[in-house]
């Protein structure tokens, strides 16, 4: 399997893909090794993960450069991803003991009662390429802390990063019989689904997440599918600094080259500030630096996959063909690499693919709305339900809108962010189950009820 640099189209490396036989061998190894790992005290497992936390900092230069080389994200954003991953791990290190310890429910009387938390067993972590560290640590870190074995399949577009993760986990003290990387394309993931695992944790598209959930449903084991989004942002007419709001929205659209499940993908602006917002947004998008992701000045790098270029341009052409105006961008940047200009379109509506179909790139449509009621109706007109953002001077007014939105996360005067202390979950086609927060720690263990009668 060739690893391609999406910014140069050069072959970085060639990796031997796993076969069905090697996947089964790795499963047998982890199934055996997990039994011993589960007997380690939680504090000892936390010590191991603490060393991994430190190694991410010690080796951040090579990790960031590898991440940028195989995904095309700007180098500083690769450093940011590593910092964000460490922050999440730090939270898990600080809070896991609290949520994994035994709980006494009844301590007096004829029968005492308590709950203990045991590992699921051996789980599959089928991960994504857009944020391989962030979406990875959401799963394999609490899984390992909880005493599970992990079969980890990084995306074929982030395999080298996945290999770094495995190397550093081993260096930290995670036994090889507890964590095994499965390298390959879609077929390797299908082989994981055929194994008698104790949980399946996936991050990627709705289509693949649904296929996984359907495939493993009969086994009655946990299945978490973090899927995509078509995340809206609404600007109310009481905002005081329209330029600041436009800058925040722009970052939400183009950060990580727009390749984020919680990126802003559609913007609704109340008619009283619509013209000013569009002007401020367009002026700022024109200044964005698109280019070599290894250059510190670059703000938008290359898309990670060549097919995404054609997909985005088809969305733009569909919108323009139905009456939208392309104010800026949308063209492919010539030369090597999968580069596209950030695009802004107006006069859009929900008859256009751009406003209802996930884009996953630095493009956005901006639609004028009359009032909060119209904004709520349009924001809810989607098959997805991951995040939604509202910008307003008034929290009470913003909350009135946020309470009506069927999404797992809402933002007031911010967007495109994740906190380790809050659950990360999607509704409708945006996913099944959750990660992060104490609920994400508990997602990788199962309760056992004790009835104790002396």
């Amino acid at each position: 399997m060739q690893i391609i640099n999406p910014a140069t189209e050069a072959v970085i490396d060639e990796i031997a893909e796993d076969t069905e036989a090697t996947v089964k061998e790795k499963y047998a190894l982890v199934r055996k090794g997990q039994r011993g790992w589960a007997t380690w005290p939680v504090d000892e497992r936390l010590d191991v993960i603490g060393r991994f936390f430190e190694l991410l900092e010690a080796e951040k230069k090579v990790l960031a450069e590898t991440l940028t080389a195989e995904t095309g994200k700007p180098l500083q954003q690769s450093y940011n991803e590593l910092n964000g991953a460490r922050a999440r791990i730090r939270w898990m290190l600080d809070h896991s003991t609290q949520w994994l310890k035994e709980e006494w429910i009844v301590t007096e009387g004829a029968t005492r009662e308590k709950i203990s938390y045991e590992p699921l067993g051996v789980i599959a972590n089928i991960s994504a390429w857009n944020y391989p560290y962030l979406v990875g640590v959401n799963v394999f870190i609490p899984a390992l802390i909880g005493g599970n074995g992990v079969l980890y399949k990084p995306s074929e577009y982030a395999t080298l990063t996945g290999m770094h993760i495995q190397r550093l986990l081993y260096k930290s003290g995670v036994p090889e019989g507890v964590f095994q990387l499965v390298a390959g394309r879609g077929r390797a993931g299908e082989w994981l689904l055929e194994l008698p695992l104790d949980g399946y944790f996936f991050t990627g598209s709705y289509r693949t997440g649904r296929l996984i959930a359907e495939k493993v449903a009969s086994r009655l084991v946990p299945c978490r599918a973090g899927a995509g989004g078509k995340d809206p942002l609404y600007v109310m007419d009481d905002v005081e600094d329209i330029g600041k709001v436009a800058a925040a929205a722009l970052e939400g659209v183009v950060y990580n080259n727009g390749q984020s499940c919680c990126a802003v993908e559609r913007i609704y602006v109340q008619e009283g500030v619509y013209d000013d917002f569009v002007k401020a947004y367009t002026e700022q998008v024109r200044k964005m630096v698109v280019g070599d992701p290894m250059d510190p000045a670059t703000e938008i790098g290359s898309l990670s996959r060549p097919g995404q270029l054609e997909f985005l341009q088809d969305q733009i052409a569909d919108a323009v063909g139905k009456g939208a105006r392309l104010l800026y961008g949308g063209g492919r940047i010539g030369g090597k690499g999968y580069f596209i200009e950030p695009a802004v379109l107006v006069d859009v509506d929900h008859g256009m693919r751009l406003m209802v179909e996930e884009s996953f790139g630095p493009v956005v449509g901006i639609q004028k709305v009359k009032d909060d009621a119209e904004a709520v109706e349009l924001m809810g007109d989607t098959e997805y339900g991951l995040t939604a953002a509202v910008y307003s001077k008034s929290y009470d007014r913003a909350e009135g809108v946020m309470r009506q939105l069927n999404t797992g996360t809402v933002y007031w005067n911010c967007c495109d962010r994740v906190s380790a202390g809050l659950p990360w979950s999607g509704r409708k086609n945006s996913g099944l189950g959750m990660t992060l927060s104490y609920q994400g720690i508990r997602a990788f263990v199962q309760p056992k009820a004790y009835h104790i009668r002396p």
Side-chain angles (χ1 to χ4, degrees), residues 161-227:
T161 290
M163 294 172 70
H164 277 309
I165 287 171
Q166 177 171 256
R167 176 179 62 82
L168 295 183
L169 285 171
Y170 290 169
K171 190 174 181 179
S172 302
V174 174
E176 292 187 17
V178 171
F179 185 96
Q180 283 287 315
L181 182 147
V182 173
R185 285 163 281 217
R187 192 70 185 100
E190 292 174 6
W191 289 325
L192 288 175
L193 302 183
E194 294 167 3
L195 295 171
L197 299 178
D198 304 301
Y200 299 84
F201 296 81
F202 165 78
T203 304
S205 69
Y206 160 72
R207 178 179 175 274
T208 303
R210 177 177 172 177
L211 288 173
I212 291 173
E214 291 175 345
K215 176 78 173 180
V216 305
S218 63
R219 298 180 193 166
L220 300 181
V221 297
C223 177
R224 190 269 176 182

Side-chain angles (χ1 to χ4, degrees), residues 289-406:
V289 179
V290 184
D292 179 5
M294 288 293 187
D295 186 335
T298 294
E299 296 170 286
I300 302 176
S302 62
L303 299 173
S304 295
R305 300 174 297 173
Q308 196 65 10
L309 275 168
E310 182 179 350
F311 179 82
L312 293 173
Q313 291 187 313
D314 284 348
Q315 279 193 338
I316 293 170
D318 172 76
V320 171
K322 294 175 179 175
R325 286 188 296 132
L326 179 63
L327 295 187
Y328 179 78
R332 177 170 185 170
I333 298 175
K336 293 288 187 179
Y338 317 137
F339 292 92
I340 188 171
E341 298 170 320
V344 53
L345 295 94
V346 295
D347 298 338
V348 293
D349 60 51
H350 281 216
M352 303 169 184
R353 290 170 51 199
L354 177 72
M355 298 301 286
V356 295
E357 181 181 76
E358 187 174 24
S359 298
F360 228 63
V363 304
V364 77
I366 306 176
Q367 185 168 350
K368 183 189 299 184
V369 296
K370 180 180 179 181
D371 52 26
D372 295 353
E374 184 180 9
V376 168
E377 180 180 359
L378 290 170
M379 294 170 84
D381 181 26
T382 176
E383 296 178 342
Y384 295 98
L386 190 60
T387 80
V390 178
Y391 281 75
S392 172
K393 180 180 179 180
S394 167
Y395 176 74
D396 289 341
R397 182 181 171 194
E399 186 179 31
V401 168
M402 293 188 291
R403 286 187 178 278
Q404 299 179 68
L405 302 175
N406 189 19

Side-chain angles (χ1 to χ4, degrees), residues 49 53 81-96 131 133-139 141-142 145 262 416-422 424 435-437 441:
I49 300 305
F53 169 84
E81 181 175 347
L82 285 162
N83 292 336
R86 293 184 76 244
R88 293 185 192 181
I89 295 171
R90 182 71 268 165
W91 190 91
M92 294 174 196
L93 290 171
D94 292 342
H95 294 87
S96 290
Y131 284 108
Y133 285 102
L134 290 175
V135 300
V137 303
N138 288 359
V139 174
I141 291 297
I145 292 173
C262 57
D416 190 26
R417 73 182 301 270
V418 181
S419 168
L422 295 176
W424 187 247
T435 54
L436 297 178
S437 82
I441 294 172

